[in-house]
mmCIF file of all heavy atoms in Angstrom:
data_model
loop_
_atom_site.group_PDB
_atom_site.id
_atom_site.type_symbol
_atom_site.label_atom_id
_atom_site.label_comp_id
_atom_site.label_asym_id
_atom_site.label_seq_id
_atom_site.Cartn_x
_atom_site.Cartn_y
_atom_site.Cartn_z
ATOM 1 N N LEU V 101 16.110 12.700 -18.682
ATOM 2 C CA LEU V 101 14.852 12.186 -19.208
ATOM 3 C C LEU V 101 14.959 10.743 -19.670
ATOM 4 O O LEU V 101 13.940 10.064 -19.858
ATOM 5 C CB LEU V 101 14.378 13.070 -20.367
ATOM 6 C CG LEU V 101 14.091 14.533 -20.005
ATOM 7 C CD1 LEU V 101 13.762 15.336 -21.254
ATOM 8 C CD2 LEU V 101 12.960 14.623 -19.002
ATOM 9 N N ALA V 102 16.179 10.235 -19.849
ATOM 10 C CA ALA V 102 16.364 8.833 -20.249
ATOM 11 C C ALA V 102 16.259 7.882 -19.082
ATOM 12 O O ALA V 102 16.129 6.673 -19.272
ATOM 13 C CB ALA V 102 17.709 8.667 -20.938
ATOM 14 N N TYR V 103 16.339 8.416 -17.862
ATOM 15 C CA TYR V 103 16.408 7.573 -16.675
ATOM 16 C C TYR V 103 15.057 7.487 -15.951
ATOM 17 O O TYR V 103 14.166 8.327 -16.148
ATOM 18 C CB TYR V 103 17.435 8.140 -15.682
ATOM 19 C CG TYR V 103 18.857 8.113 -16.168
ATOM 20 C CD1 TYR V 103 19.467 9.270 -16.648
ATOM 21 C CD2 TYR V 103 19.598 6.929 -16.126
ATOM 22 C CE1 TYR V 103 20.784 9.264 -17.078
ATOM 23 C CE2 TYR V 103 20.921 6.915 -16.549
ATOM 24 C CZ TYR V 103 21.514 8.075 -17.027
ATOM 25 O OH TYR V 103 22.819 8.049 -17.448
ATOM 26 N N SER V 104 14.948 6.472 -15.111
ATOM 27 C CA SER V 104 13.852 6.380 -14.151
ATOM 28 C C SER V 104 14.379 6.724 -12.773
ATOM 29 O O SER V 104 15.598 6.771 -12.544
ATOM 30 C CB SER V 104 13.258 4.971 -14.138
ATOM 31 O OG SER V 104 12.771 4.588 -15.393
ATOM 32 N N ARG V 105 13.476 7.003 -11.842
ATOM 33 C CA ARG V 105 13.806 7.123 -10.434
ATOM 34 C C ARG V 105 12.984 6.113 -9.663
ATOM 35 O O ARG V 105 12.065 5.493 -10.214
ATOM 36 C CB ARG V 105 13.504 8.527 -9.902
ATOM 37 C CG ARG V 105 14.461 9.595 -10.410
ATOM 38 C CD ARG V 105 13.830 10.506 -11.400
ATOM 39 N NE ARG V 105 12.773 11.342 -10.835
ATOM 40 C CZ ARG V 105 11.850 11.945 -11.578
ATOM 41 N NH1 ARG V 105 11.836 11.777 -12.891
ATOM 42 N NH2 ARG V 105 10.934 12.719 -11.025
ATOM 43 N N LEU V 106 13.295 5.942 -8.418
ATOM 44 C CA LEU V 106 12.505 5.028 -7.595
ATOM 45 C C LEU V 106 11.062 5.546 -7.512
ATOM 46 O O LEU V 106 10.092 4.784 -7.663
ATOM 47 C CB LEU V 106 13.114 4.922 -6.209
ATOM 48 C CG LEU V 106 12.728 3.735 -5.334
ATOM 49 C CD1 LEU V 106 12.860 2.406 -6.062
ATOM 50 C CD2 LEU V 106 13.587 3.735 -4.063
ATOM 51 N N LEU V 107 10.895 6.844 -7.281
ATOM 52 C CA LEU V 107 9.605 7.519 -7.284
ATOM 53 C C LEU V 107 9.671 8.687 -8.258
ATOM 54 O O LEU V 107 10.758 9.160 -8.595
ATOM 55 C CB LEU V 107 9.271 8.045 -5.877
ATOM 56 C CG LEU V 107 9.129 7.035 -4.745
ATOM 57 C CD1 LEU V 107 8.996 7.765 -3.411
ATOM 58 C CD2 LEU V 107 7.919 6.129 -4.970
ATOM 59 N N LYS V 108 8.514 9.153 -8.689
ATOM 60 C CA LYS V 108 8.453 10.348 -9.515
ATOM 61 C C LYS V 108 7.262 11.185 -9.043
ATOM 62 O O LYS V 108 6.423 10.731 -8.248
ATOM 63 C CB LYS V 108 8.315 10.015 -11.000
ATOM 64 C CG LYS V 108 7.003 9.340 -11.363
ATOM 65 C CD LYS V 108 6.923 9.115 -12.868
ATOM 66 C CE LYS V 108 5.591 8.487 -13.251
ATOM 67 N NZ LYS V 108 5.451 8.357 -14.723
ATOM 68 N N PHE V 109 7.182 12.409 -9.535
ATOM 69 C CA PHE V 109 6.059 13.267 -9.187
ATOM 70 C C PHE V 109 4.873 12.981 -10.113
ATOM 71 O O PHE V 109 5.046 12.705 -11.300
ATOM 72 C CB PHE V 109 6.466 14.740 -9.303
ATOM 73 C CG PHE V 109 7.496 15.152 -8.311
ATOM 74 C CD1 PHE V 109 8.819 15.322 -8.695
ATOM 75 C CD2 PHE V 109 7.151 15.355 -6.990
ATOM 76 C CE1 PHE V 109 9.781 15.698 -7.771
ATOM 77 C CE2 PHE V 109 8.120 15.722 -6.053
ATOM 78 C CZ PHE V 109 9.430 15.895 -6.453
ATOM 79 N N GLU V 110 3.684 13.041 -9.531
ATOM 80 C CA GLU V 110 2.494 12.890 -10.343
ATOM 81 C C GLU V 110 2.449 14.018 -11.370
ATOM 82 O O GLU V 110 2.737 15.169 -11.061
ATOM 83 C CB GLU V 110 1.233 12.941 -9.478
ATOM 84 C CG GLU V 110 1.101 11.760 -8.513
ATOM 85 C CD GLU V 110 -0.176 11.854 -7.688
ATOM 86 O OE1 GLU V 110 -0.986 12.755 -7.939
ATOM 87 O OE2 GLU V 110 -0.353 10.997 -6.790
ATOM 88 N N THR V 111 2.082 13.687 -12.599
ATOM 89 C CA THR V 111 2.073 14.688 -13.671
ATOM 90 C C THR V 111 0.703 15.323 -13.875
ATOM 91 O O THR V 111 0.561 16.257 -14.655
ATOM 92 C CB THR V 111 2.516 14.044 -15.001
ATOM 93 O OG1 THR V 111 1.683 12.928 -15.298
ATOM 94 C CG2 THR V 111 3.964 13.585 -14.918
ATOM 95 N N SER V 112 -0.313 14.839 -13.180
ATOM 96 C CA SER V 112 -1.657 15.347 -13.399
ATOM 97 C C SER V 112 -1.956 16.612 -12.598
ATOM 98 O O SER V 112 -2.962 17.274 -12.814
ATOM 99 C CB SER V 112 -2.692 14.275 -13.011
ATOM 100 O OG SER V 112 -2.529 13.890 -11.658
ATOM 101 N N GLU V 113 -1.067 16.972 -11.652
ATOM 102 C CA GLU V 113 -1.299 18.119 -10.797
ATOM 103 C C GLU V 113 -0.045 18.988 -10.744
ATOM 104 O O GLU V 113 1.040 18.572 -11.135
ATOM 105 C CB GLU V 113 -1.680 17.666 -9.381
ATOM 106 C CG GLU V 113 -2.910 16.767 -9.329
ATOM 107 C CD GLU V 113 -3.247 16.389 -7.892
ATOM 108 O OE1 GLU V 113 -3.259 17.272 -7.035
ATOM 109 O OE2 GLU V 113 -3.504 15.197 -7.644
ATOM 110 N N LEU V 114 -0.220 20.200 -10.194
ATOM 111 C CA LEU V 114 0.911 21.110 -10.023
ATOM 112 C C LEU V 114 1.556 20.944 -8.655
ATOM 113 O O LEU V 114 2.444 21.706 -8.288
ATOM 114 C CB LEU V 114 0.450 22.561 -10.205
ATOM 115 C CG LEU V 114 -0.010 22.925 -11.619
ATOM 116 C CD1 LEU V 114 -0.575 24.344 -11.630
ATOM 117 C CD2 LEU V 114 1.130 22.805 -12.631
ATOM 118 N N ASP V 115 1.115 19.955 -7.884
ATOM 119 C CA ASP V 115 1.630 19.729 -6.545
ATOM 120 C C ASP V 115 2.877 18.858 -6.596
ATOM 121 O O ASP V 115 3.365 18.496 -7.675
ATOM 122 C CB ASP V 115 0.554 19.076 -5.673
ATOM 123 C CG ASP V 115 -0.667 19.956 -5.503
ATOM 124 O OD1 ASP V 115 -0.503 21.185 -5.553
ATOM 125 O OD2 ASP V 115 -1.775 19.429 -5.337
#
Side-chain angles (χ1 to χ4, degrees):
L101 298 175
Y103 294 102
S104 301
R105 288 108 67 199
L106 199 50
L107 298 172
K108 66 177 183 176
F109 294 104
E110 294 181 5
T111 56
S112 59
E113 302 181 46
L114 294 174
D115 298 331

